[in-house]
Amino acid sequence: MYFVDCIYSVSGGEAELLLQSFKTTLNTAYLWTSKIVNYQKPTLGGTMALRSALLGCGLLVILLAVVFPPLDAASQAINQELSDLFNELWKLDVNRMKPGTDYTISVQGKAGYVSQGSNHARDHASSPLFSNVNENKLKTITTFSRFMKLLDNYERSTGVAEHVSREEVTENNLFLDAVLNTEVMKHTHRYLVSKGHSQSDLRTFKRQLYTIWFDLYYRSGSKDSCGFEHVFVGETKFGNEIAGFHNWVQFYLQEKSRNLDYKGYKARDHDIPDQDDHVLNLQFSWHGLVKPVGSAFVGASPEFEMALYTIIFLINTHRSTTVVVNIDECQLEVVVVRHGRSIGTAYPKLLSSNNRHL
């Protein structure tokens, strides 16, 4: 079902945003149906029972239209322009880590179902996901090393206001300087300028990136979040849910520190992932909380991920955008949700890998 599929594709704060939108739609449907029913003249009897029946039927029709919308083949079609662009960025991503050479993963068992908000998950992976990562490359590649310096700059819990020091602002800017110096982001900038979504001036583009990724906004009642924190670092919500957390380097570092426990992969029965997959859907616990379904690129550089999400954010004005693309051997959905002028969340969802979709 469409609604179930949508819920599967999000979790934590993302799921709440979707549910809230769904509730709002239902309320709107109820109000409009009430107006329609109340407009009826009592020529058919005008009894309360009839009004209730009409209201119920009208609401049901609208509800079915919301939950089971007409299938739109185009909405699920491969976006060829973005596929071509993202594959070009993939080739330009010289900082990307290579599986089996720069890192080794073990996907192990398939994780079971865990309801959102439950923090009890059976462990289907007796070993960590990452058995080896070339930390020397992480520390010597500028974008990776400056990226890692940002990971301890945030309060983990939403609802707790963030206080950004001058040193942290400097770290943010140094990271963006490194990202802007890569061929991945240079190509991204040229594309966005050609589409009229960015200015050619590099300083203006950098300010645009800072707004999208680092400007603080209200997520749970205070300036407690930003796009970078949610997507790359991860947050906890009200002490019982994991929100965001879609980055493999943070996953590895938290796993190494024993703050994170990998529970197993999530996939359809006919699409078992392997150690060479560039995108994984997975389940894990972090500081005692469970993320039923999470997803992340594996091995990709910070500039590659930031470029993909920035492009989708800027070329659309919708609150939530999902595009289906082929990148290397993977077919995936890339989801970007906006929070005003900033990114609220962004993540990949693996559909199939190793050309099994062809």
Side-chain angles (χ1 to χ4, degrees):
M1 293 188 301
Y2 175 82
F3 185 62
V4 174
D5 287 343
C6 289
I7 292 297
Y8 174 77
S9 72
V10 297
S11 57
E14 296 95 323
E16 186 196 355
L17 289 173
L18 182 60
L19 288 170
Q20 186 58 49
S21 177
F22 183 66
K23 291 176 182 177
T24 301
T25 304
L26 290 184
N27 288 335
T28 303
Y30 183 87
L31 289 173
W32 276 103
T33 306
S34 297
K35 290 180 179 180
I36 293 170
V37 173
N38 289 332
Y39 183 77
Q40 302 297 321
K41 300 294 183 182
T43 55
L44 297 179
T47 64
M48 186 62 69
L50 177 59
R51 289 163 102 68
S52 298
L54 286 170
L55 178 60
C57 291
L59 182 58
L60 178 60
V61 170
I62 296 175
L63 175 58
L64 288 173
V66 172
V67 181
F68 304 104
L71 292 177
D72 182 2
S75 68
Q76 294 300 316
I78 300 298
N79 188 313
Q80 196 57 53
E81 179 181 348
L82 289 183
S83 292
D84 293 342
L85 174 62
F86 294 165
N87 276 291
E88 184 63 28
L89 297 180
W90 183 260
K91 294 175 185 176
L92 292 172
D93 190 15
V94 296
N95 291 334
R96 185 177 72 251
M97 299 286 191
K98 306 299 189 296
T101 302
D102 299 318
Y103 68 87
T104 305
I105 63 172
S106 176
V107 296
Q108 302 170 75
K110 183 178 180 180
Y113 172 77
V114 175
S115 61
Q116 187 62 45
S118 172
N119 290 307
H120 300 284
R122 183 179 175 185
D123 199 339
H124 292 266
S126 58
S127 302
L129 175 63
F130 289 92
S131 56
N132 175 64
V133 173
N134 187 339
E135 291 196 18
N136 185 58
K137 289 192 73 171
L138 287 179
K139 294 174 182 177
T140 55
I141 295 174
T142 306
T143 53
F144 276 113
S145 64
R146 293 185 181 180
F147 171 83
M148 291 190 293
K149 288 183 179 179
L150 308 182
L151 298 178
D152 62 355
N153 288 353
Y154 298 96
E155 297 287 344
R156 187 165 65 250
S157 177
T158 58
V160 179
E162 297 287 350
H163 299 285
V164 183
S165 67
R166 289 185 179 180
E167 180 183 359
E168 290 170 348
V169 171
T170 298
E171 290 177 348
N172 294 341
N173 280 300
L174 287 174
F175 169 68
L176 287 180
D177 288 340
V179 166
L180 288 166
N181 198 39
T182 64
E183 290 303 316
V184 168
M185 195 56 78
K186 288 178 181 178
H187 191 72
T188 296
H189 186 205
R190 288 193 294 269
Y191 175 81
L192 291 171
V193 170
S194 72
K195 296 293 184 178
H197 297 297
S198 296
Q199 300 297 315
S200 58
D201 178 68
L202 196 60
R203 288 177 296 181
T204 303
F205 182 50
K206 180 181 175 181
R207 286 196 297 270
Q208 187 179 29
L209 290 177
Y210 200 103
T211 297
I212 292 170
W213 289 102
F214 293 107
D215 273 4
L216 296 177
Y217 52 70
Y218 297 84
R219 190 178 289 274
S220 296
S222 61
K223 281 196 172 183
D224 58 348
S225 185
C226 68
F228 183 90
E229 178 188 11
H230 185 86
V231 174
F232 293 109
V233 183
E235 304 173 293
T236 60
K237 180 183 174 183
F238 304 130
N240 59 17
E241 291 182 16
I242 298 171
F245 202 133
H246 299 289
N247 179 257
W248 74 274
V249 176
Q250 170 72 336
F251 193 104
Y252 163 68
L253 294 174
Q254 290 298 301
E255 190 174 55
K256 180 183 177 183
S257 301
R258 299 189 177 182
N259 295 324
L260 184 151
D261 183 21
Y262 171 61
K263 300 296 185 182
Y265 70 87
K266 298 290 290 185
R268 298 178 178 87
D269 290 336
H270 64 277
D271 197 35
I272 300 174
D274 61 34
Q275 66 275 9
D276 295 326
D277 284 356
H278 302 304
V279 180
L280 288 178
N281 301 330
L282 36 78
Q283 185 180 102
F284 61 94
S285 65
W286 184 44
H287 292 282
L289 306 180
V290 173
K291 181 128 188 172
V293 184
S295 55
F297 285 99
V298 183
S301 70
E303 58 265 30
F304 176 81
E305 294 188 61
M306 184 171 281
L308 259 64
Y309 301 144
T310 298
I311 289 168
I312 295 173
F313 177 85
L314 288 175
I315 66 176
N316 291 278
T317 58
H318 303 299
R319 185 173 175 276
S320 178
T321 302
T322 300
V323 297
V324 180
V325 292
N326 290 329
I327 301 179
D328 193 46
E329 296 183 344
C330 296
Q331 184 174 102
L332 57 143
E333 291 179 348
V334 184
V335 180
V336 175
V337 178
R338 64 176 56 245
H339 196 292
R341 297 195 302 158
S342 304
I343 280 181
T345 190
Y347 55 91
K349 177 188 171 185
L350 181 67
L351 299 180
S352 61
S353 57
N354 293 319
N355 290 320
R356 289 190 287 271
H357 54 281
L358 298 178

